[in-house]
Amino acid sequence: PSTSDGATEMRKAVLVFALAFLALPATVLAQHDDHAKAALKEMTPTFQATFNAGDAAAVAALYATDGVLHPPNSAPVDGREAIEAFWAAALESGASAELTTQDMYWMGESAAEVGMFVMTGADGSHLDHGHYTLIYKMVDGDWKIVSDMWNSDMSPTP
């Protein structure tokens, strides 16, 4: 082969190597995204399980240390300690929750979830139902809730 053919082959080899090298980060990022999405999808079942077990500390651990609750008709509840106290008081009744995710949105190191909830009393009575919105952020490799807002779909009693 001539020298120009060797140079052409060398350029092709370098180009193939460069393209493969550039594609590698995209593959690694895609795998990271898939893992992050899978972990995020487990947050709601985990929340529901710990809530229904009456474990306020485990529920609060799902929130960022600077997380905020936005309960209906109430002032915001700021910080994990206050969130744990809020849930501890709420869980005293023995109520349980059923959460259904409707949509999830990923934005890199942040995500949002929109869903519906149904609250049932310890005696099986229907207590409430409505919608919620959660905002998550990645904190030290784990998803944490930074904002939790919900509202009732039930009409207020006069």
Side-chain angles (χ1 to χ4, degrees):
S2 71
T3 335
S4 63
D5 286 341
T8 301
E9 290 302 315
M10 179 62 89
R11 282 194 291 272
K12 285 182 185 177
V14 168
L15 181 60
V16 167
F17 177 76
L19 290 174
F21 184 74
L22 290 173
L24 181 62
T27 303
V28 170
L29 287 175
Q31 289 171 347
H32 172 73
D33 280 353
D34 289 345
H35 176 71
K37 287 179 182 180
L40 183 62
K41 287 180 180 180
E42 289 304 311
M43 289 291 290
T44 299
T46 300
F47 185 102
Q48 181 174 309
T50 56
F51 184 95
N52 292 344
D55 190 343
V59 172
L62 299 173
Y63 291 81
T65 55
D66 60 349
V68 180
L69 291 180
H70 302 278
N73 306 313
S74 181
V77 178
D78 294 310
R80 191 181 289 159
E81 261 184 57
I83 289 170
E84 183 175 347
F86 176 91
W87 287 126
L91 292 171
E92 285 179 7
S93 70
S96 63
E98 181 182 334
L99 306 172
T100 305
T101 302
Q102 293 177 307
D103 287 306
M104 294 191 100
Y105 306 93
W106 288 271
M107 301 158 276
E109 298 291 308
S110 298
E113 176 182 348
V114 177
M116 298 170 53
F117 71 88
V118 175
M119 297 293 298
T120 305
D123 62 357
S125 63
H126 179 82
L127 299 177
D128 198 2
H129 64 275
H131 291 80
Y132 67 87
T133 301
L134 298 170
I135 307 296
Y136 298 95
K137 73 176 179 179
M138 188 65 75
V139 178
D140 298 327
D142 292 319
W143 288 109
K144 295 293 181 182
I145 302 167
V146 293
S147 180
D148 181 353
M149 181 181 293
W150 67 96
N151 66 294
S152 174
D153 289 348
M154 295 177 64
S155 299
T157 53

